[in-house]
Amino acid sequence: MPVRKPSHWITAAALAGALTLTATSAVAAPTRDNSNNNTTHKITQAVSEQKLTEHLNAFQSIAEANDGNRASGTSGYRASVDYVVEKLRAAGYTPEVQEFTFPFFQERTPATVSADGTQLAAADVAVMTYSGTGTVSGTVQAVDTTGARVGSTSGCEATDFADFVPGNVALLQRGTFCSFAVKAANAEAAGASAVLIFNTGLPNAEGVVAGTLGSPDATTLPTVGLSYQAGVDLLDATEVTVATDTVSATRTTYNVLAETGTGDPENTVMVGAHLDGVLEGAGISDNGTGSAGILAIAEAMAKTKTENNVRFAWWGAEELGLLGAEHYVADLQENDRGALEDIALYLNFDMIGSPNYGRFVYDGNASTFDPGDTNVPEGSAAIEAAFHEYFASVGLASGDTEFSGRSDYGPFIEAGVPSGGLFTGAEGVKTQEQAELFGGQAGVAYDSCYHSSCDDITNVNLQGMEEMSDAAAAVVLRYAMSTHDVNGEGEPYKQKGKGAVGHPKGNDRGHGPHSEHGRGHGHGHDKAAA
């Protein structure tokens, strides 16, 4: 059955003219085997280090050919979409591409501010997200501020600019009474040539203001945040020069989806990973690993007869706030609620090959981390248990990571879809206890190149990635055959033998002792424990 197509879909064929294929190769899917145990073995064998490396190398080559990154809204992301589409076609799928728009922002070079010929320190200057671009010079004019250490209403009302001289650079103070976007828009309406917003000077609010204007439509003016002291010093300045070099625009990006040709479409298992990276680097650990992992699994399962429909998804614009997954879920909620209700569960794979990796599973039963106000749909605990049982069955320790809703599974759990997945760690630091369980180096980040230029092909632990990809493949296949323990559909799944995944037979099987570490992946993995 083809993927249901809500609004804003285009076919892969239609997209091909706009995308440039960077790397392709033929894929031989494994022969179908109706024995669950044999099929699991065949699929985990097919999800090999060689296959994973093939895809990672392709993503690296794409980045190298496209300004060093694969961020949504760039040619590198378009080429990544093209690569995934062509690989899926070669494996026998009919992929679909869902397009959507999003606010894109890039600071190409750091912003600078000079006052009466002297440039401010870089630490005192930060461009506002969605700032306009350009270099302007003009007389600095304070607007409704004396530099007092207060939360100011400076610039919040059009009347604040009653005596403003058009062409001047507006100097405003931060406050909690209106947004940066309102301040900038009022300044632009008054004829300002640029906007400078300095901090309040209150406790813990003296450093540089690093803010956002919310959208590319907020203003066309160069808009820069300043530290409190830098702003106060400008009260006595005459002429300032403000220079920003940015791209702020609404752009189009894409989700890629493909599903198996067999299985119950009213009991669909969704498997996802975000395909985009950040502008700073090639995005190989984050999240070339997850994207490559589920692509290898999709290829391996292409000729497998499944009881449930399996839909694979590569999400766009995750790094900008889970936008691809949010768009997909929202589109179903608005246009095809039946298709949303058909999703039995969602499995997420965001960073599964960190160089100093841990084997972490989303804490769907809240045994380690308090979920707070995060919605945890019933059935998520069973998904967590299935992953831990797999790791135990092959003699590997595993631990928990926060089920916080801040990766692409977030929109699914908000919609009530049971979810789970794997993660190997980001900038959080590995503990001694975790090093003893998983290997690697204690006192060092799981991924010291997280969201930076060194996140390239050398920034992956292939052994860890293969371990996690095998676990992902086994659990995807397990739910492709039966979702009984999640939603009661189908027969209980009874697979035995090494690497088999059956019903959980205890709480947190396969865990080591729990010990919390520091912060992790910014969108979805604050903490993990082993």
Side-chain angles (χ1 to χ4, degrees):
M1 176 180 176
V3 178
R4 301 189 191 217
K5 290 189 280 187
S7 60
H8 311 304
W9 287 76
I10 56 177
T11 64
L15 184 69
L19 304 181
T20 302
L21 183 63
T22 302
T24 59
S25 66
V27 176
T31 303
R32 185 177 71 197
D33 190 318
N34 290 325
S35 164
N36 287 339
N37 194 48
N38 288 339
T39 303
T40 301
H41 178 72
K42 285 178 177 290
I43 286 176
T44 55
Q45 288 292 103
V47 181
S48 63
E49 182 176 313
Q50 179 180 1
K51 177 57 65 176
L52 297 170
T53 301
E54 173 190 328
H55 297 323
L56 293 178
N57 282 333
F59 291 140
Q60 177 68 32
S61 296
I62 287 169
E64 290 173 354
N66 292 276
D67 300 317
N69 73 79
R70 301 184 307 102
S72 270
T74 70
S75 59
Y77 185 75
R78 293 194 299 270
S80 297
V81 168
D82 194 19
Y83 176 77
V84 171
V85 165
E86 292 302 319
K87 282 298 188 181
L88 291 168
R89 283 177 173 169
Y93 291 91
T94 304
E96 300 285 351
V97 178
Q98 183 186 38
E99 69 174 24
F100 61 97
T101 59
F102 73 104
F104 176 86
F105 180 75
Q106 180 181 10
E107 183 183 18
R108 292 184 292 199
T109 57
T112 60
V113 177
S114 298
D116 297 330
T118 301
Q119 184 168 311
L120 275 61
D124 292 321
V125 176
V127 72
M128 290 274 181
T129 303
Y130 305 117
S131 164
T133 190
T135 299
V136 299
S137 295
T139 301
V140 62
Q141 183 173 349
V143 176
D144 192 28
T145 178
T146 63
R149 293 177 182 270
V150 296
S152 175
T153 63
S154 168
C156 288
E157 302 290 342
T159 54
D160 293 344
F161 296 85
D163 62 351
F164 192 82
V165 178
N168 283 357
V169 173
L171 178 64
L172 313 176
Q173 190 171 9
R174 185 180 191 175
T176 58
F177 303 96
C178 70
S179 67
F180 297 131
V182 168
K183 292 175 183 284
N186 285 337
E188 184 167 26
S193 59
V195 181
L196 301 173
I197 304 175
F198 67 99
N199 218 333
T200 65
L202 294 170
N204 302 314
E206 295 190 3
V208 66
V209 174
T212 178
L213 299 173
S215 78
D217 301 325
T219 184
T220 61
L221 300 182
T223 305
V224 174
L226 302 176
S227 68
Y228 172 73
Q229 191 58 54
V232 170
D233 291 344
L234 288 183
L235 292 171
D236 297 324
T238 301
E239 184 174 84
V240 296
T241 298
V242 181
T244 59
D245 182 14
T246 66
V247 178
S248 180
T250 298
R251 289 189 176 181
T252 298
T253 194
Y254 313 96
N255 295 326
V256 180
L257 296 104
E259 57 189 36
T260 55
T262 63
D264 183 0
E266 295 184 356
N267 198 48
T268 293
V269 175
M270 282 207 71
V271 181
H274 73 87
L275 183 57
D276 65 316
V278 295
L279 287 162
E280 287 76 9
I284 303 303
S285 173
D286 182 19
N287 184 38
T289 55
S291 294
I294 71 167
L295 181 55
I297 293 168
E299 290 171 327
M301 288 185 62
K303 296 182 180 180
T304 302
K305 181 176 175 58
T306 61
E307 295 297 325
N308 300 312
N309 182 48
V310 180
R311 182 176 303 143
F312 296 92
W314 290 262
W315 306 116
E318 187 270 355
E319 295 291 3
L320 299 166
L322 320 183
L323 300 184
E326 284 187 350
H327 176 78
Y328 177 79
V329 172
D331 202 55
L332 291 184
Q333 288 173 323
E334 181 177 353
N335 298 301
D336 196 347
R337 291 201 64 87
L340 182 60
E341 292 168 0
D342 289 343
I343 300 173
L345 59 96
Y346 174 73
L347 303 176
N348 194 64
F349 303 100
D350 187 352
M351 300 182 69
I352 59 170
S354 305
N356 194 31
Y357 71 99
R359 298 182 208 95
F360 299 121
V361 180
Y362 292 133
D363 186 19
N365 67 356
S367 63
T368 309
F369 300 102
D370 183 352
D373 59 0
T374 300
N375 175 44
V376 180
E378 185 177 355
S380 300
I383 297 171
E384 178 195 355
F387 280 113
H388 284 309
E389 183 164 332
Y390 170 81
F391 284 121
S393 76
V394 295
L396 295 174
S398 57
D400 286 352
T401 190
E402 276 193 322
F403 198 53
S404 59
R406 293 191 298 167
S407 188
D408 285 309
Y409 65 91
F412 288 91
I413 64 175
E414 284 299 312
V417 178
S419 300
L422 300 177
F423 170 57
T424 51
E427 79 271 40
V429 175
K430 179 175 281 188
T431 66
Q432 181 62 45
E433 182 181 34
Q434 291 166 348
E436 291 170 0
L437 286 171
F438 308 134
Q441 190 173 356
V444 175
Y446 304 111
D447 184 355
S448 59
C449 288
Y450 173 64
H451 281 191
S452 66
S453 60
C454 58
D455 184 12
D456 57 23
I457 195 65
T458 67
N459 190 46
V460 174
N461 187 309
L462 286 172
Q463 176 180 325
M465 184 179 176
E466 187 171 18
E467 290 171 359
M468 301 299 270
S469 296
D470 283 350
V475 173
V476 169
L477 180 64
R478 177 243 186 285
Y479 287 124
M481 298 307 179
S482 172
T483 61
H484 185 273
D485 67 330
V486 175
N487 63 3
E489 294 291 328
E491 297 296 322
Y493 189 68
K494 296 178 180 179
Q495 186 181 26
K496 298 181 180 180
K498 184 177 181 181
V501 180
H503 277 308
K505 298 180 180 178
N507 185 35
D508 297 337
R509 186 175 178 184
H511 286 49
H514 298 300
S515 64
E516 190 172 315
H517 74 69
R519 293 190 61 80
H521 183 26
H523 285 312
H525 313 293
D526 282 342
K527 298 175 182 176

